[in-house]
Amino acid sequence: MNNLFMRAYSKWIRDAFYIGQSEIATSLGISIGTYSKMEQGTKIMRDEDFKAIIHFYEMKKGSYSFCFDEKKRAEANGLIRKCIGVFVYRDQKTMLPILKEYLMDEKNWHCPAFFETNLLQMIYEYFCDLSFQERFSLLFDHEYLFDPSARSILHDLYGLSKLRKYDESAIHSFQTAKALSVFQPIPGWMGLIDYHMIITFLRFMKPEKAYSLFEECRKDIQNSGSHRRLLDLQLNEAQCFMKLGLREEADTIYQTMLQTYGQVDDDSVLKEIYGNYAWNQLMQRNDIFAIELAKKAIQFHATFPDIYITLAYSNYRLDRAEEALQVISTFRNQKRTDNRSKMVLLFLDVLESLLLERKKKFERKATQLLPRLQNWKDLEVDIFVYLMLIDHYANLQDWQSLCFYQAEMIKFLGY
């Protein structure tokens, strides 16, 4: 059996059972120093030593047993590669029954595939949209035991976990995942990692870096035959054009996708097209069309919170105060708890205060929101807050405050 695994597992189980090295050394008839060296790797741990250690724990706890089947590791690695494949095809749900059956088999846990099984558990949690971060510490501590495919998806999932927290260092994890993907190529996997990097660059308002990845990403995904991922990539390419200020190019992509969406067997793609297309129209001040598109997105059960910014702010610019206030009330009553929705609600609170002419409350909420938006660049509402403040102080004929926020907006725009 692999000596690295025997050392790592022996240390893990000793910690899990809260057993001191002296007790195990005594049961093996060796000194504490000798046992310590075996765990540390300065002395070879033989198969018979490992079996004796396992026997010690089996005697210690009757419900515990270890399966010595060496084929378990190959089976687990095969499943990890299958998981990568379905991840590429956005077909994760089909893998859930297979993973569940595997994880329910106790022989797959305490065996030579112990660490791979923990990775499969984390993949299962991610595929189920559950919290999946709990095992990172264990898996990274024993990363040297994994083959390149397993290490690649481990770093990719770590990047996705950072992205959920709006941590820009996610890009380093994706770059590591991509480097590892070269050693055991899986069709479309490198393209999917590129796709995750594109999302990260767009989220942190670095569209020029995202743009450089599209060609290579598209080529790899096309070769894999994952049509749905190509649609995702098209949506992100349109977003990239939007963030680069190429709004007509983005419109062209959305229009083309709406004309050809029938190729997809799932209408869920429509809500994404309509939602993003609506935002692009909002930014071009085509408010009536933006509202029409946003409503269509909601008809297709879109839940992305930014849609409510489109609806509320477009109605505000059209002097439809009642409609804007109704949108804000609808969103607030949904009682969303995710961080992005909380930020969207803070913006809507600012707009609501302005619409209700609660002047002091508006000023306080707007000035409190602006510094917080520095960590939410992809929300792209800073300019709306500045414009509302400028209109507010112009109406009050407060020229000093007006000039201040005009200067702040110019500074924000980078002029």
Side-chain angles (χ1 to χ4, degrees), residues 113-143:
F114 172 77
F115 296 104
E116 286 81 1
T117 299
N118 273 275
L119 176 56
L120 284 166
Q121 175 69 46
M122 186 170 72
I123 293 171
Y124 176 79
E125 290 163 353
Y126 177 76
F127 284 179
C128 288
D129 297 321
L130 302 171
S131 177
F132 63 97
Q133 295 88 348
E134 180 183 344
R135 299 171 194 272
F136 276 126
S137 178
L138 170 70
L139 297 173
F140 279 123
D141 284 346
H142 301 91
E143 185 182 352

Side-chain angles (χ1 to χ4, degrees), residues 164-181:
R164 287 186 175 185
K165 300 175 182 176
Y166 284 77
D167 182 346
E168 195 171 351
S169 68
I171 198 65
H172 300 301
S173 298
F174 294 134
Q175 288 169 338
T176 301
K178 185 176 179 179
L180 289 164
S181 71

